[in-house]
Amino acid sequence: MRYLMGLGNYTAGDDAIGVRVIEYIAEHNLEDGFRAIDMGANSLNLVAYLDPDTTAILAIDATKMGEAPGEVAFFTPNEVQSHKELRGLSTHEGDLLTVLEIAKQAGYPIPPIVIMGIEPKSLQPSMDLTPELGKKIKHYSELAISHLKTMP
Amino acid sequence: MTVNAHIHVHHLTRVEGHGNIVVNVNNGKVEKCEWQVPEAPRFFEAMVRGRHYSEVARITSRICGICSVGHTLASVKASETALGITVTPQTIKLRELLKHAENFDSHVLHVYMLVAPDLLGAPSVFPLVKTHGDVVARALRLKRAAHEWGSLIGGRTTHPTTPVPGGFASVPTHAELKALKEKLLSLAPDLTATLETVLALAPNIPAFDRKTEYIALSNDQNYGLYDGVVQSTLPDGMKQRYPVADYRKVTNEYVVPQSTAKYAKNKLPSYAAGALARFNNNFERLTPEAKGVAAKLGMKPVCGNPYLNTAAQVVEIVESFYDSLRIIDELLTTGVKHEELVKPTKFATGAGATEVPRGILFHEYTYDQDGMCTAGNCIIPTNQNHANIQGDFDKLVPELIAKNATEKQMELALEMLVRAYDPCISCSTHYLDVTFVR
């Protein structure tokens, strides 16, 4: 199975971009050869999808990369260095990279994973995305689906 | 005696959200001792106004990424009360099964990922992967199973889609339920190992006693995670029940200068909600297997050590496991069929409550004749616990001073105390912050 996953907090502005894209895909019945998963703020649930039957994961997440708001980059976990200093693995402190590292050390099979990072503008409490990201939801959805298709 | 201590833990780690611990001791006297909550209000009650009853639970489930099942269930129950809806026995069973999945999942996260590092003397779970790899692998196995369990019943575990006012949008098949039962049965060795791990670490749980008032849902049929009336148990074991509709008479919210979160109190200056409160209220209705675990842990009601909230969570992990097997067997016997959603019979005000991992959760809504929400109120369990945490601080700090605790020991004891409550103060952001190294 191939998965397109969205991560983020729905109530923290652009942090929700990943789950908003998944929501768009679900509402428009765009699942085709993959499953769209809303992981919400619970990135630890990623371990539920780490098994030999998983052939590819594309995870969409708000990512501070120093780019203009709304810009997109595709990267693998090995291609980045995280700047988050974490002392725990609550759903507040953990992130996708942390969960992957622990799962890897615990012996879980790690399928090909690509992260679609989207530069946020605001992470302040809000149920709305900023216009810079909100107007591109359809574009992000198409981009994510087409990139997942290119994954082996 | 500790003469001077100055503790300022800014944004305590390994809790869900942000809280501060501030203690100043000068010449053996406590000048300041505060549990502070600086989180900003999130205005969910305003967000649901003007929304149709079919949308409200989907919005309020976003209050929490861990307890989204509980927020969904409290929300649909409140809406159903307001709309005059009585759901079917099948719906109740499926919701109980979903509630167990959430409790199991959250307790495994708390016991293994957030508390175990304290008991093993590690700063976090990360070094445990190397030193206690089998324990971490077991935790991930249990969490994964809970995720699959919740996803089957709720559509997904985070922000479930199937529980809606009037019933379930879709239900699992007979074969899926059978597979779930097999999956759960395969976890039995991991449950035994969990108890063994906790028993081995139990001597590291601090001894402290401050009995308080304990508030939880309660009923005469089961442990009351999904439904019941509000019950108070006082330190002497005296119990009193209240209808859910009277929840404001129990919570009596008020504000304090040190916190942006509201505090709560009932008969005593503070009360506790959560696993220990449920244990103290509903011990008699635990399954025999869960009672057996409580006996092994040396726990009986009324237990007044808040650090043992974590042990009560272990009891509840076992409770959820065995009660779910019972529910699945009942559903397999009666058969699960698609049912039409029960329609509203009125549009008024109604309250609903359910137990989430951290304690009793209340939602209340008012709907107009078009089914649009005109008012909402949500009282989450962590807020109900803030005053009790402060009460524990007020007793614990002088005890630590008398024991000549160092500043470091005092800080750890207070941090562990807060973590034992498993507070979920708010949901924060989860973005990645990276530099490219390719």
Side-chain angles (χ1 to χ4, degrees), chain A residues 6-105:
Chain A
L7 295 103
N9 179 352
Y10 209 81
T11 65
D14 291 340
D15 193 58
I17 185 62
V19 293
R20 295 284 190 164
V21 171
I22 296 300
E23 201 171 69
Y24 181 90
I25 289 169
E27 283 172 359
H28 292 80
N29 295 315
L30 300 178
E31 283 177 297
D32 180 17
F34 67 90
R35 276 185 64 199
I37 307 284
D38 175 353
M39 297 279 281
N42 218 337
S43 49
L44 251 180
N45 284 337
L46 177 69
V47 294
Y49 303 93
L50 301 179
D51 60 43
D53 295 334
T54 300
T55 52
I57 292 176
L58 178 66
I60 310 165
D61 203 357
T63 307
K64 281 187 171 180
M65 304 173 285
E67 301 289 335
E71 288 296 303
V72 176
F74 290 94
F75 55 91
T76 66
N78 293 332
E79 291 176 313
V80 292
Q81 181 180 354
S82 177
H83 293 307
K84 276 195 168 178
E85 290 184 16
L86 305 173
R87 284 191 60 206
L89 197 58
S90 71
T91 55
H92 282 264
E93 293 176 279
D95 64 17
L96 184 66
L97 297 174
T98 316
V99 172
L100 271 178
E101 187 54 36
I102 287 199
K104 197 194 308 181
Q105 289 189 35

Side-chain angles (χ1 to χ4, degrees), chain B residues 49-62:
Chain B
R49 284 188 205 152
R51 301 288 191 144
H52 191 256
Y53 72 82
S54 59
E55 295 179 287
V56 168
R58 288 189 67 185
I59 295 169
T60 51
S61 90
R62 301 281 175 180

Side-chain angles (χ1 to χ4, degrees), chain B residues 286-426:
Chain B
L286 283 168
T287 58
E289 293 85 358
K291 274 186 184 164
V293 168
K296 284 182 181 162
L297 290 165
M299 290 182 70
K300 58 183 180 185
V302 175
C303 172
N305 182 353
Y307 288 99
L308 288 176
N309 189 56
T310 305
Q313 290 180 330
V314 175
V315 173
E316 289 193 345
I317 287 172
V318 175
E319 170 69 15
S320 284
F321 177 83
Y322 284 101
D323 198 47
S324 292
L325 288 175
R326 177 191 63 78
I327 295 168
I328 294 170
D329 278 341
E330 286 181 10
L331 288 167
L332 288 174
T333 303
T334 57
V336 180
K337 59 181 186 300
H338 172 74
E339 297 175 327
E340 292 299 318
L341 298 180
V342 183
K343 297 268 189 286
T345 58
K346 64 175 183 176
F347 295 97
T349 297
T354 197
E355 287 284 340
V356 287
R358 288 149 194 85
I360 193 165
L361 167 68
F362 300 102
H363 280 223
E364 183 181 45
Y365 307 111
T366 301
Y367 291 102
D368 67 18
Q369 290 305 307
D370 297 319
M372 308 302 277
C373 185
T374 58
N377 188 31
C378 305
I379 299 184
I380 65 165
T382 291
N383 278 8
Q384 296 171 66
N385 276 327
H386 287 319
N388 210 61
I389 292 173
Q390 181 64 52
D392 288 347
F393 273 26
D394 292 340
K395 181 166 190 278
L396 180 59
V397 168
E399 286 184 10
L400 292 169
I401 291 171
K403 287 179 185 168
N404 203 24
T406 64
E407 197 171 274
K408 198 98 184 143
Q409 288 168 331
M410 198 179 286
E411 181 175 319
L412 179 61
L414 294 170
E415 286 192 2
M416 286 174 67
L417 176 70
V418 175
R419 278 198 279 273
Y421 279 87
D422 194 8
C424 195
I425 304 163
S426 88

Side-chain angles (χ1 to χ4, degrees), chain B residues 10-11 22 36 41 69 73 108 110-111 123 158 178 199 204 207 230 281 305 333-335 345 355 364 382 399 421:
Chain B
H10 180 66
H11 289 182
V22 179
Q36 302 174 342
V69 165
L73 295 179
V108 166
H110 184 243
V111 171
T158 310
K178 269 185 85 173
L199 282 171
N204 299 338
V230 184
N281 271 287
N305 182 353
T333 303
T334 57
T345 58
E355 287 284 340
E364 183 181 45
T382 291
E399 286 184 10
Y421 279 87

Side-chain angles (χ1 to χ4, degrees), chain B residues 144-393:
Chain B
R144 176 178 172 146
H147 176 72
E148 291 167 359
W149 170 4
S151 295
L152 174 65
I153 312 299
R156 59 190 186 204
T157 53
T158 310
H159 316 306
T161 51
T162 58
V164 293
F168 268 82
S170 65
V171 295
T173 64
H174 188 87
E176 286 172 334
L177 279 175
K178 269 185 85 173
L180 175 60
K181 182 181 176 183
E182 293 305 313
K183 163 71 74 179
L184 291 187
L185 288 172
S186 74
L187 298 178
D190 282 338
L191 285 195
T192 305
T194 298
L195 179 60
E196 284 167 2
T197 301
V198 173
L199 282 171
L201 297 176
N204 299 338
I205 297 175
F208 173 66
D209 188 73
R210 189 183 81 84
K211 288 186 177 61
T212 184
E213 182 177 4
Y214 300 92
I215 302 276
L217 282 182
S218 187
N219 65 55
D220 296 330
Q221 287 76 47
N222 58 37
Y223 190 64
L225 281 176
Y226 169 67
D227 198 26
V229 295
V230 184
Q231 182 169 289
S232 151
T233 295
L234 289 170
D236 62 3
M238 185 73 82
K239 291 178 168 50
Q240 184 175 344
R241 286 182 164 183
Y242 308 80
V244 170
D246 287 347
Y247 74 97
R248 288 174 197 261
K249 293 178 185 168
V250 177
T251 53
N252 301 298
E253 288 187 301
Y254 63 101
V255 293
V256 295
Q258 74 206 52
S259 171
T260 53
K262 289 178 182 170
Y263 280 34
K265 65 176 177 183
N266 187 34
K267 294 182 177 179
L268 299 181
S270 68
Y271 67 79
L276 190 62
R278 291 189 288 263
F279 178 87
N280 283 335
N281 271 287
N282 299 321
F283 172 80
E284 292 303 328
R285 282 174 292 284
L286 283 168
T287 58
E289 293 85 358
K291 274 186 184 164
V293 168
K296 284 182 181 162
L297 290 165
M299 290 182 70
K300 58 183 180 185
V302 175
C303 172
N305 182 353
Y307 288 99
L308 288 176
N309 189 56
T310 305
Q313 290 180 330
V314 175
V315 173
E316 289 193 345
I317 287 172
V318 175
E319 170 69 15
S320 284
F321 177 83
Y322 284 101
D323 198 47
S324 292
L325 288 175
R326 177 191 63 78
I327 295 168
I328 294 170
D329 278 341
E330 286 181 10
L331 288 167
L332 288 174
T333 303
T334 57
V336 180
K337 59 181 186 300
H338 172 74
E339 297 175 327
E340 292 299 318
L341 298 180
V342 183
K343 297 268 189 286
T345 58
K346 64 175 183 176
F347 295 97
T349 297
T354 197
E355 287 284 340
V356 287
R358 288 149 194 85
I360 193 165
L361 167 68
F362 300 102
H363 280 223
E364 183 181 45
Y365 307 111
T366 301
Y367 291 102
D368 67 18
Q369 290 305 307
D370 297 319
M372 308 302 277
C373 185
T374 58
N377 188 31
C378 305
I379 299 184
I380 65 165
T382 291
N383 278 8
Q384 296 171 66
N385 276 327
H386 287 319
N388 210 61
I389 292 173
Q390 181 64 52
D392 288 347
F393 273 26

